[in-house]
Amino acid sequence: MLVLNRFTVPTETQDGFRDQAHAALAALARTPGYRSGRLTRAIEDPAGWILVTEWESVGAYRRALGAFDVKVHATPLLALSLDEPSAFETLASAEPGADVVVTASDRAAEPWR
């Protein structure tokens, strides 16, 4: 599972944002089910930032959000992200030089049930 939290950060607040994002990323990285993460900034527009994290499952990500350190260090930052979908399930992947591997969706066939 991939989580992309996008931010628009004015130039004058980027130092504080970066420190807050580093603390959030460190807190998330200490939780079970965390696979990887990175803080990225748009090349074309330095105000555009994305915190990207990868998780072994939706459940692992949701449990991580309940961890004390995450509530203290990551939740305030995540609350500043743009209001848009941020959690995505992986449906196909490919390692370098390998074939595409298709994965079934974890979503219920009938989510209203």
Side-chain angles (χ1 to χ4, degrees):
M1 186 191 136
L2 189 65
V3 179
L4 304 168
N5 294 103
R6 290 190 328 124
F7 303 87
T8 300
V9 184
T11 305
E12 62 274 7
T13 63
Q14 288 189 3
D15 289 341
F17 171 81
R18 187 177 348 209
D19 292 344
Q20 190 178 10
H22 291 175
L25 189 56
L28 291 165
R30 290 189 293 269
T31 62
Y34 173 90
R35 288 195 173 161
S36 68
R38 55 202 167 277
L39 178 64
T40 66
R41 182 171 60 187
I43 295 169
E44 304 85 9
D45 178 6
W49 292 74
I50 300 178
L51 179 63
V52 181
T53 55
E54 188 174 357
W55 301 86
E56 70 181 29
S57 68
V58 172
Y61 174 64
R62 289 185 177 162
R63 285 187 294 278
L65 293 177
F68 178 78
D69 279 351
V70 171
K71 287 182 180 180
V72 170
H73 299 290
T75 301
L77 177 81
L78 299 178
L80 301 174
S81 66
L82 299 177
D83 186 15
E84 62 187 19
S86 61
F88 300 86
E89 62 179 338
T90 301
L91 299 177
S93 61
E95 297 295 325
D99 292 334
V100 172
V101 176
V102 176
T103 306
S105 174
D106 282 340
R107 291 182 55 124
E110 299 174 347
W112 56 88
R113 293 188 174 206

